[in-house]
């Protein structure tokens, strides 16, 4: 099973995404957080517990307390000590080319997806991680 965490300060985005997961039977083990600091703390506490760590993080960039950029900087310092690799997908309403270029600087950022995310894109991501998990299992 693919574990996903979505970080976005907008509760409506979580609701929309969870409804898509439920409707299309994707990412059955999804968690949601309004603040990236909570997830950084969780990752630090569980860094060696591979079963607890997510496979994927969906990350919004523009959040007031801890921006997506703040999260990426903290994650970069932490990622090598984690018990497994975690892929991050930027899910943002930003269409700014500078944001896309900046996101590419982080090797663990796998893609930059503009909101709203479409069903076929979610299905593709889910299929990729199902295949990866089957090979590992």
């Amino acid at each position: 099973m693919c574990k996903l965490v979505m970080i976005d300060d907008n509760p409506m985005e979580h609701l929309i995404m969870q409804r898509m997961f439920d409707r299309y039977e994707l990412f059955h083990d999804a968690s949601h957080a309004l603040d990236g600091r909570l997830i950084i703390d969780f990752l630090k506490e569980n860094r060696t517990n591979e079963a607890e760590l997510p496979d994927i993080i969906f990350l919004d960039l523009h959040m007031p307390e801890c921006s997506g950029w703040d999260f990426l900087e903290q994650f970069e310092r932490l990622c090598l000590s984690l018990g497994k690799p975690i892929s991050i997908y930027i899910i943002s309403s930003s269409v700014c080319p500078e944001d896309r270029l900046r996101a590419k600087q982080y090797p663990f950022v796998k893609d930059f997806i503009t909101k709203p995310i479409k069903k076929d894109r979610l299905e593709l991501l889910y299929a990729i991680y199902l295949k990866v998990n089957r090979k590992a299992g």
Side-chain angles (χ1 to χ4, degrees):
M1 181 167 301
C2 180
K3 293 176 94 168
L4 177 138
V5 173
M6 180 176 174
I7 305 169
D8 194 311
D9 65 316
N10 183 345
M12 188 57 68
E13 294 289 342
H14 292 281
L15 180 64
I16 292 167
M17 194 67 75
Q18 188 60 51
R19 287 207 172 148
M20 288 180 73
F21 296 159
D22 294 344
R23 182 174 186 185
Y24 304 120
E25 299 181 7
L26 306 169
F27 300 108
H28 305 288
D29 199 2
S31 302
H32 301 270
L34 298 172
D35 187 339
R37 292 176 296 193
L38 297 172
I39 303 305
I40 290 293
D41 290 343
F42 176 83
L43 295 174
K44 286 177 182 176
E45 291 169 17
N46 293 280
R47 73 176 74 214
T48 59
N49 187 350
E50 185 176 329
E52 289 296 317
L53 295 174
D55 298 295
I56 300 173
I57 295 175
F58 283 177
L59 179 66
D60 185 30
L61 290 179
H62 302 290
M63 298 180 285
E65 298 294 321
C66 175
S67 75
W69 301 119
D70 296 333
F71 181 88
L72 290 171
E73 288 174 20
Q74 292 178 51
F75 186 85
E76 185 173 41
R77 292 190 292 272
L78 177 65
C79 68
L80 292 177
S81 69
L82 297 174
K84 70 179 183 183
I86 299 173
S87 297
I88 297 181
Y89 290 84
I90 306 296
I91 309 289
S92 179
S93 55
S94 172
V95 293
C96 179
E98 291 82 15
D99 284 346
R100 288 181 177 276
L101 286 173
R102 185 174 174 192
K104 285 183 180 182
Q105 295 176 6
Y106 297 96
F108 44 80
V109 173
K110 301 304 180 193
D111 204 354
F112 191 111
I113 302 167
T114 304
K115 291 179 186 177
I117 191 167
K118 306 248 185 307
K119 174 191 173 195
D120 59 335
R121 191 63 178 274
L122 278 178
E123 288 175 331
L124 177 64
L125 291 174
Y126 187 66
I128 289 168
Y129 284 92
L130 277 183
K131 191 180 294 185
V132 168
N133 285 335
R134 282 189 188 131
K135 285 181 184 176

